[in-house]
Amino acid sequence: MSAAAREPTGVSVCYITVPNAEEADKLAGKLVESKLAACVNVIPGIQSVYTWQGKVEKDNELLLMVKTRSALSDKLAAFVKLHHPYDVPEVICADITAGLPEYLSWVKESTVDP
């Protein structure tokens, strides 16, 4: 994979923070079961520092790394907002511009056709 600019592959990775392992397991399972995600990696041990309601906060969280079709990003974000315990959950997505073609195809095959 060269460093040259590439066209999007139609696959995105989305990052979602959650407060604990129970919420991570529930949300990851719901995303895969609903076919909004092909795969969700649960990454423990992150610390988030942020401003919320005028105050600097620091929390231990887990990070969900979600692989999905780019066309599902808006539906995924709405689904997370509905099922997440935070008022304003972090849901950020980036297009994948390169990757193993077989893996990218598997992500598309494993998710709902928008």
Side-chain angles (χ1 to χ4, degrees):
M1 294 180 263
S2 74
R6 294 179 182 232
E7 292 297 314
T9 59
V11 173
S12 290
V13 62
C14 299
Y15 299 99
I16 303 164
T17 54
V18 293
N20 55 54
E22 180 182 341
E23 291 294 336
D25 289 343
K26 283 193 322 191
L27 188 54
K30 287 178 181 179
L31 287 168
V32 173
E33 287 169 10
S34 67
K35 295 197 172 285
L36 289 173
C39 176
V40 179
N41 301 111
V42 179
I43 304 166
I46 68 164
Q47 186 176 74
S48 297
V49 180
Y50 57 96
T51 301
W52 182 249
Q53 298 178 337
K55 207 172 126 190
V56 175
E57 302 282 348
K58 183 171 20 173
D59 288 312
N60 294 318
E61 296 181 298
L62 293 88
L63 180 66
L64 304 183
M65 187 171 72
V66 181
K67 277 72 71 179
T68 190
R69 290 178 190 237
S70 300
L72 292 174
S73 295
D74 289 342
K75 286 182 182 177
L76 184 141
F79 185 92
V80 170
K81 184 159 177 49
L82 186 64
H83 294 93
H84 199 287
Y86 294 166
D87 292 335
V88 182
E90 174 184 348
V91 182
I92 54 175
C93 300
D95 290 331
I96 302 299
T97 58
L100 185 67
E102 296 87 349
Y103 183 81
L104 299 174
S105 292
W106 172 80
V107 169
K108 292 175 187 175
E109 292 164 8
S110 299
T111 50
V112 68
D113 192 357

